[in-house]
């Protein structure tokens, strides 16, 4: 399983764009990159998933360079409610019993 | 999206008793379920992987006789904390993955978690 490295914490202000970068130097060919969000005392919530280039959905964008050794989660115009821990996970989603292993995550604090 | 329901959301038990936590996939069949434990300000720690119809696979350092996992059907997995002690107090979270071939197979869906307090 590829190890991931993220900043421990980030601060931002409401209305700003936030970019959280995750390093995964040992990513394998079949690995996908998935980001989750977790609020205190709740289970993680799926944000976005990608394999290469760029993926966008209604809440975020995911940028993956050609070498796939890193990825960046982009949250446009954050609000106070985006204060949470964000986890970057890497793994082969098509493998039976694919384990969702969590790293330390990035604690995002959005200020007014 | 798919829904995973965990019950109870909170439980307080006396030291030495056993506690069962249920994890149900409400609108899909889950061939694989995962159980995690999370201490305050820390990340989720994978405890075990549960496959329907077979024995659970435990991560290193997790006592299988202490944390009994039963994946009885494609929609239900249970975690029983046996002879609970105060150090077992934690936030327990389950997740489920769908059968291969469905759109939702590409992601794991998480329950809302169970706060266990052993007194």
């Amino acid at each position: 399983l590829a190890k991931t490295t993220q900043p421990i914490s980030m601060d931002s202000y409401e209305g700003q764009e936030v970019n959280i970068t995750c390093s995964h130097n040992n990513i394998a060919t079949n690995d996908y990159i998935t980001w989750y969000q977790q609020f205190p005392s709740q289970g993680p919530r799926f944000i976005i998933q990608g394999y290469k280039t760029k993926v966008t959905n209604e809440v975020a964008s995911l940028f993956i360079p050609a070498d796939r050794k890193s990825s960046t989660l982009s949250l446009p115009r954050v609000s106070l409610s985006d204060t949470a821990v964000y986890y970057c996970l890497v793994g082969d989603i098509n493998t039976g019993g694919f384990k969702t292993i969590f790293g330390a995550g990035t604690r995002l604090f959005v200020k007014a | 999206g798919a829904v995973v329901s965990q019950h109870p959301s909170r439980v307080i038990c006396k030291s030495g008793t056993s506690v069962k936590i249920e994890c149900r996939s409400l609108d899909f069949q889950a061939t694989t379920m995962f159980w995690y434990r999370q201490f305050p300000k820390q990340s989720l720690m994978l405890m075990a992987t549960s496959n329907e119809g077979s024995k659970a696979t435990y991560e290193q350092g997790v006592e299988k006789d202490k944390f009994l996992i039963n994946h009885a059907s494609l929609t239900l997995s249970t975690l029983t904390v046996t002879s609970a002690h105060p150090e077992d107090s934690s936030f327990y979270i389950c997740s489920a993955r769908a059968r291969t071939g469905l759109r939702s197979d590409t992601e794991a869906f998480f329950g809302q978690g169970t706060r266990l307090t052993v007194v």
Side-chain angles (χ1 to χ4, degrees):
Chain A
L1 296 168
K3 178 179 168 60
T4 59
T5 303
Q6 304 173 232
I8 294 174
S9 65
M10 294 181 69
D11 288 343
S12 182
Y13 289 93
E14 281 190 293
Q16 288 188 333
E17 178 185 79
V18 171
N19 296 308
I20 305 174
T21 297
C22 178
S23 297
H24 28 81
N25 291 317
N26 296 322
I27 190 168
T29 303
N30 294 330
D31 286 346
Y32 279 67
I33 301 155
T34 311
W35 286 80
Y36 286 88
Q37 175 192 56
Q38 186 184 28
F39 297 112
S41 295
Q42 292 187 28
R45 183 176 73 99
F46 173 90
I47 301 175
I48 199 165
Q49 184 179 74
Y51 183 80
K52 61 180 180 180
T53 62
K54 177 183 175 182
V55 180
T56 297
N57 61 22
E58 62 276 9
V59 297
S61 293
L62 179 59
F63 298 91
I64 306 169
D67 66 5
R68 305 202 322 125
K69 293 183 183 299
S70 67
S71 59
T72 298
L73 173 72
S74 181
L75 304 172
R77 300 183 61 79
V78 294
S79 63
L80 296 177
S81 62
D82 292 316
T83 293
V85 179
Y86 293 82
Y87 295 97
C88 160
L89 287 79
V90 173
D92 184 351
I93 63 171
N94 296 310
T95 299
F98 158 65
K99 296 181 183 180
T100 311
I101 303 291
F102 287 79
T106 297
R107 196 169 294 271
L108 173 65
F109 186 68
V110 180
K111 306 173 189 175
Chain B
V3 178
V4 174
S5 177
Q6 205 171 323
H7 178 80
S9 58
R10 289 176 179 272
V11 59
I12 301 174
C13 71
K14 290 185 178 180
S15 186
T17 61
S18 296
V19 174
K20 180 184 285 188
I21 302 170
E22 293 187 348
C23 179
R24 294 182 184 271
S25 54
L26 298 186
D27 53 357
F28 67 98
Q29 292 183 326
T31 50
T32 305
M33 287 185 173
F34 304 91
W35 287 95
Y36 298 83
R37 180 165 56 180
Q38 185 175 34
F39 292 107
K41 303 289 187 184
Q42 294 186 24
S43 183
L44 286 77
M45 184 193 79
L46 180 65
M47 299 174 68
T49 303
S50 169
N51 292 296
E52 187 268 338
S54 62
K55 289 184 178 180
T57 302
Y58 291 80
E59 295 299 303
Q60 190 172 10
V62 179
E63 300 176 56
K64 62 180 181 180
D65 295 329
K66 171 77 171 175
F67 300 99
L68 300 178
I69 292 172
N70 183 14
H71 196 149
S73 73
L74 285 171
T75 59
L76 173 65
S77 176
T78 60
L79 168 68
T80 301
V81 183
T82 62
S83 186
H85 291 285
E87 57 265 30
D88 298 323
S89 298
S90 187
F91 191 56
Y92 292 87
I93 306 170
C94 72
S95 75
R97 296 189 69 220
R99 283 180 175 276
T100 303
L102 299 177
R103 164 63 182 87
S104 58
D105 183 56
T106 60
E107 58 186 275
F109 300 95
F110 288 81
Q112 69 270 39
T114 297
R115 175 75 58 195
L116 169 63
T117 303
V118 184
V119 298

